[in-house]
């Protein structure tokens, strides 16, 4: 009898351990649009993101390019449907003087890139190069203005150079002399970057005043107006957000930024390896990634206090995993590989952003090519797509779709007595009426089964794709570029109003329901 009781207790315990994840989808209650700009990217003059990444030079005969911009990258990013691209930094933006980057290339002055490796910046990739590249990509430019070491006049001139109609001002005439008649009409502008740090080490109060001054003189894009983003808080600095929301009149503020990286330590060489991390480092990295939910919830709550109608957007214009650089690479270039851990960060973070779409209306993964959690890595003529690329491509079905509320009860991913939610989910309905559900299981050891109650719609079929791999530390390399790729997913079934999904350990799936 004792034995029987013990066996029953054990059975109970193991059942509890594998308890079903459950969720309820409200398919008829969508009110908020998931702004496509949540899926934005970031290209800084840092390492080989621009030079040797995007830009290989007009005279390059080995790598197919248009005006020096590599066409394989353009093709890959078009498939990703990148909605916006932030440039020229980052920290670099507050050292950048845009007039050095226009006109005849051979005559452009050089400077030292003091933030990133101390290399010489010859300014051969400047305003025209970037904005023409955005046209090629079919993406909206997001320009970060220099507030830290620039002047109000300089930023005013830049906005006029880019946005004023032909012949209407000295700046537009200068643009015409440099070969571009039509304005580019750039709407999205950052007023400085990390003003609390590399952007000038300012206090929030001081920056709020400076912001007001700069924002007053910026010239808007024709018919579009400006979308001005204030340099926002680092991580949990809610006081910074509060100071900006309180002190900047909201008619001159369209967005407030925050930056949050999944990093374990800021010391050089003290982060984790990008590919050879321990189980503990994986858990800690995911803890940092999932902290995003708390951060955006709390920053949004502060914003709600001053802006209950949610006019001002929360803009997460830097996010992603930050690890030690690859052996043998310049520590100032931030070149790192990208494994399934990065796919987990991307899947879980994008679910968080989608579910907060009422306040988050823009975000930028750091960074797009060859830097930090890149979607593309290049090595001379070779180019590879990372697991993060594939997640962003799978999730792009959510761009500009209507967010559908979905409530999840998930199992925990437990590690040495600490726990994290294993499964994260978000859902949307697109313009064609298709419902998409994206699911990420960050648990590296346990597959998860989830039953989703489908309320408010009748669905008859489900199909989907999955990103999974044999090992968590797997990555795409220049030797084996397609090791990790999305595949057709057969682990989801609909029966009546129930959807059952079997997610392998450390996997990301996106489903389409009809
Ligand atoms: O993305 C790399 C750097 O991280 C950016 O230049 C800066 O804004 C942040 O600290």
């Amino acid at each position: 009898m004792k034995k029987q009781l013990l066996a029953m207790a054990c059975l109970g315990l193991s059942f509890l351990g594998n308890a079903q994840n459950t969720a309820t989808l409200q398919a008829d209650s969508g009110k908020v649009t998931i702004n496509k700009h949540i899926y934005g990217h970031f290209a800084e003059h840092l390492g080989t993101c621009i030079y040797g990444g995007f830009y290989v030079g007009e005279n390059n005969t080995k790598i197919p390019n248009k005006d020096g911009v590599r066409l394989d990258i353009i093709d890959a990013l078009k498939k990703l449907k990148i909605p916006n691209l932030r440039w020229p930094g980052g920290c670099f933006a507050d050292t950048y003087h845009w007039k050095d980057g226009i006109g005849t290339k051979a005559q452009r002055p050089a400077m030292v890139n003091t933030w990133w490796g101390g290399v010489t910046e010859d300014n051969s990739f400047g305003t025209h190069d970037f904005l023409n590249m955005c046209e090629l990509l079919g993406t909206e430019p997001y320009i970060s203005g220099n507030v830290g070491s620039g002047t109000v006049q300089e930023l005013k001139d830049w906005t006029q150079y880019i946005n004023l109609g032909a012949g209407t001002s000295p700046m537009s005439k200068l643009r015409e002399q440099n070969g571009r008649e039509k304005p580019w009409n750039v709407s999205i502008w950052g007023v400085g970057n990390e003003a609390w740090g590399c952007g000038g080490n300012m206090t929030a109060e001081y920056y709020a005043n400076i912001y007001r001054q700069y924002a007053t003189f910026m010239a808007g894009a024709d018919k579009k107006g400006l979308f001005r983003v204030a340099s926002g808080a680092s991580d949990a600095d809610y006081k910074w957000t509060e100071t900006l929301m309180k002190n900047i009149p909201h008619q001159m503020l369209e967005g407030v930024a925050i930056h949050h990286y999944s990093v374990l330590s800021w010391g050089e060489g003290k982060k984790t390896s990008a590919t050879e991390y321990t189980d503990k480092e994986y858990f800690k990295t995911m803890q940092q990634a999932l902290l995003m939910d708390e951060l955006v919830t709390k920053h949004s709550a502060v914003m709600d206090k001053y802006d209950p109608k949610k006019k001002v957007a929360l803009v997460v214009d830097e996010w992603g995993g930050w690890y030690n650089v690859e052996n043998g690479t310049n520590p100032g270039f931030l070149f790192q590989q990208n494994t399934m851990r990065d796919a987990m960060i991307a899947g879980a973070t994008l679910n968080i952003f989608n579910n907060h779409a009422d306040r988050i209306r823009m975000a930028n993964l750091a960074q797009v090519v060859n830097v930090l959690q890149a979607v593309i890595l290049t090595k001379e003529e070779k180019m590879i797509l990372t697991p993060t690329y594939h997640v962003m491509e799978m999730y792009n079905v959510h761009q500009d779709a209507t967010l559908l509320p979905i409530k999840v009860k998930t199992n925990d991913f437990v590690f040495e007595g600490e726990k994290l939610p294993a499964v994260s989910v978000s859902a949307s309905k697109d313009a064609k009426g298709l419902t998409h559900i994206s699911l990420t299981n960050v648990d590296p050891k346990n597959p998860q089964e989830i039953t989703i109650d489908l309320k408010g719609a009748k669905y008859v079929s489900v199909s989907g794709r999955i990103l999974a791999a044999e090992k968590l530390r797997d990555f795409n390399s220049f030797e084996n570029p397609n090791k990790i790729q999305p595949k057709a997913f057969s682990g989801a079934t609909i029966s009546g109003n129930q959807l059952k999904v079997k997610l392998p350990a450390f996997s990301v799936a996106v489903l389409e329901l009809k």
Side-chain angles (χ1 to χ4, degrees), residues 25-28 404 427-429 433-437 452-462 493-499 512-514:
L25 174 80
Q26 302 289 352
D28 55 357
L404 299 179
S428 70
K429 187 174 177 177
L434 297 172
T435 294
H436 293 103
I437 305 182
I452 305 180
D453 265 335
L454 305 167
K455 293 215 156 58
K458 179 94 196 94
Y459 296 106
V460 289
S461 73
V462 58
T493 48
I494 289 188
S495 152
N497 64 348
Q498 278 203 336
L499 171 67
E512 185 169 293
L513 276 68
K514 288 185 192 153

Side-chain angles (χ1 to χ4, degrees), residues 160-171:
Q160 293 196 352
Y161 186 88
I162 287 173
N163 283 343
L164 293 193
T168 58
S169 76
M171 280 303 120

Side-chain angles (χ1 to χ4, degrees), residues 439 462-466 487-492 501-504 509-511:
L439 307 102
V462 58
S463 58
R465 287 192 298 158
I466 186 157
K487 303 227 161 66
F489 181 51
S490 56
V501 190
K502 288 182 179 164
L503 285 175
V510 176
L511 309 176

Side-chain angles (χ1 to χ4, degrees), residues 42 44 46 90-91 116 193-194 259 261 318 322 334 366-367 372:
F42 175 27
E44 179 163 11
L46 193 178
C91 295
W116 307 118
N193 169 72
E194 296 194 351
H259 290 177
Y261 285 98
E318 288 185 31
W322 191 323
L334 312 186
Q367 297 192 8
L372 299 176

Side-chain angles (χ1 to χ4, degrees), residues 26-79:
Q26 302 289 352
D28 55 357
S29 309
K31 288 193 191 81
V32 173
T33 300
I34 299 174
N35 197 310
K36 66 175 179 184
H37 287 297
I38 283 177
Y39 290 79
H41 289 265
F42 175 27
E44 179 163 11
H45 285 232
L46 193 178
T48 54
C49 182
I50 299 291
Y51 300 108
F54 272 112
Y55 183 69
V56 289
E58 286 82 349
N59 300 327
N60 193 309
T61 49
K62 269 205 201 139
I63 303 171
N65 66 82
K66 172 143 183 15
D67 301 329
V69 172
R70 1 184 356 155
L71 291 171
D72 52 357
I73 294 189
I74 298 290
D75 271 4
L77 293 180
K78 273 179 146 173
K79 287 193 188 114

